[in-house]
Amino acid sequence: MSRYDKYSDEAVDVLLAVQDRAAAASRPETGLDELSRALAVAAVPELLEIAGTNGAWLDRGRLKAAFDEFLATPPSTVAPDSEPGSEAERAADAEGSGPLVRIGRLRVAGELRAVLDDAERLAGDEPVAPVHLVRAAWPAVRERLSSE
């Protein structure tokens, strides 16, 4: 079982965007820069809520730059915790549910791993959702996304 099995589809989309940002920049490790850009694209309502609660304003220029970068980056086709042609992938194809989308094997920086741990703690027994990622990441990504 992968740690990502505890994540909602929307949260996995954020993590795939993190992976895509790092891959597009030819970085072997994902970190908070990629997470802040992914959240700026995939979790805007959650960001607006937490920024407002904390008396911060999201910087439109930074959000637009993140969105433009998102549009210019090809989507990920790598799967988490399994290789192409794995048993899980063959089973999904046989069921007709299509290829599995998974998080690839890029290294996760310690700071990002800490955010994921906090998001899982915040989610408790529920699936990790983008709101959990935003709440866990806010202290670390605030400066990257807000203009105070």
Side-chain angles (χ1 to χ4, degrees), residues 16-145:
L16 287 170
V18 168
Q19 174 181 273
D20 292 346
R21 302 288 82 63
S26 299
R27 284 193 290 272
E29 185 172 84
T30 59
L32 293 178
D33 285 335
E34 292 84 14
L35 178 61
S36 65
R37 290 188 199 107
L39 291 173
V41 173
V44 173
E46 293 87 351
L47 281 172
L48 289 171
E49 179 183 339
I50 197 165
T53 300
N54 288 282
W57 297 94
L58 295 180
D59 185 295
R60 282 182 177 220
R62 292 177 185 178
L63 293 177
K64 183 181 180 325
F67 191 74
D68 290 346
E69 180 184 350
F70 171 78
L71 291 177
T73 304
S76 177
T77 57
V78 178
D81 298 331
S82 71
E83 299 300 319
S86 70
E87 185 177 332
E89 193 170 86
R90 286 190 301 275
D93 287 342
E95 292 174 9
S97 60
L100 297 174
V101 176
R102 300 189 188 109
I103 309 303
R105 295 195 180 270
L106 290 173
R107 289 184 306 235
V108 177
E111 58 192 7
L112 179 54
R113 187 174 309 281
V115 167
L116 297 180
D117 291 343
D118 285 348
E120 290 171 10
R121 182 185 49 76
L122 288 169
D125 292 334
E126 298 295 317
V128 176
V131 68
H132 301 119
L133 293 171
V134 169
R135 288 181 182 156
W138 182 249
V141 302
R142 179 180 184 150
E143 291 179 11
R144 291 172 170 89
L145 296 175

